[in-house]
Amino acid sequence: MLKVENISTGYGKKQVLFDVSFEIKNGEIVLLAGSNGSGKSTLLKALFGLLPIWNEGRIFFEGENIVGNPSSSLLKKGLLYVPQKNNLFEDLSVKENLEMAGLTIIDKKIKQQRIEKALSIFDVLTPILNKAPMRLSGGQRQLLTLAMAILHEPKMILLDEPFTGLSPQNITFVTDNLKILNKSGITFLIVEHRIRECLEIANRVIGLKLGRILSEIEVNQNLESTN
């Protein structure tokens, strides 16, 4: 589904990624692991077109080279990025957040159908539709973020540290829902420091160190994925 070939990038004159290559199959959940400063979040931003590719590296999504495509175009192709921070409208209600996330869906009927579908998957949000995100638990906030994401019917989600600040109970809550989304056909590339918890749902771990791929390890060969 996603094939990355020899990409390098960074910020200003500071290079962060060096000749990075890897591949993710359709249906996988892949954990991108590494210490702070290893380039994990930078990699997600590069994949989603938020940072330029410096060299002649290529990024293929479903066989198409997407280097140079704007993020809005990638979203339409089915690739979606969920940042760690600033992913909710804090002064709006849960319902209003969902409506804002669906602004790019022109057909109002389709938008409403997708919101209803998201709420059927994350039914815990239904009783709290009128609450603001600041009044939600960490787990509820993360589920709202995922509900907003699936309105776009993504084929693959780039997810940056979904467990940050969550209690063990809420982490279990979120991982259970990630498994549901994965079984529905969504592929995930997840950046996360809580390795142990993420290993319960991941097919593979890609290790990143100082901007370079250090290792690739299969961890759950019994989890299904397709090319």
Side-chain angles (χ1 to χ4, degrees), residues 39-58:
K40 304 184 299 300
S41 295
T42 298
L43 178 54
L44 295 192
K45 292 174 183 176
L47 296 178
F48 198 58
L50 300 176
L51 289 173
I53 303 304
W54 285 5
N55 54 359
E56 298 301 317
R58 301 185 295 177

Side-chain angles (χ1 to χ4, degrees), residues 63-144:
E64 177 185 353
N65 187 0
I66 59 173
V67 170
N69 282 214
S71 300
S72 57
S73 172
L74 299 181
L75 186 61
K76 292 177 181 178
K77 295 178 188 298
L79 182 63
L80 188 146
Y81 167 58
V82 179
Q84 178 188 355
K85 298 178 180 179
N86 302 321
N87 47 30
L88 296 176
F89 300 97
E90 297 291 348
D91 57 340
L92 301 180
S93 67
V94 169
K95 181 180 179 181
E96 290 167 335
N97 267 270
L98 290 168
E99 291 172 348
M100 287 294 291
L103 281 179
T104 58
I105 305 171
I106 298 175
D107 190 309
K108 293 183 179 180
K109 184 177 180 180
I110 292 176
K111 181 175 75 170
Q112 186 57 37
Q113 288 174 345
R114 292 187 185 179
I115 289 176
E116 291 174 359
K117 181 179 178 181
L119 290 174
S120 71
I121 295 172
F122 303 112
D123 55 0
V124 69
L125 297 176
T126 301
I128 56 174
L129 284 176
N130 294 321
K131 285 189 176 183
M134 66 182 68
R135 292 183 155 188
L136 306 184
S137 70
Q140 290 171 332
R141 289 174 61 91
Q142 195 56 248
L143 291 193
L144 174 56

Side-chain angles (χ1 to χ4, degrees), residues 202-203 218-225:
N203 300 93
E218 291 190 5
V219 290
N220 280 309
Q221 297 184 33
N222 59 313
L223 296 179
E224 294 183 359
S225 64

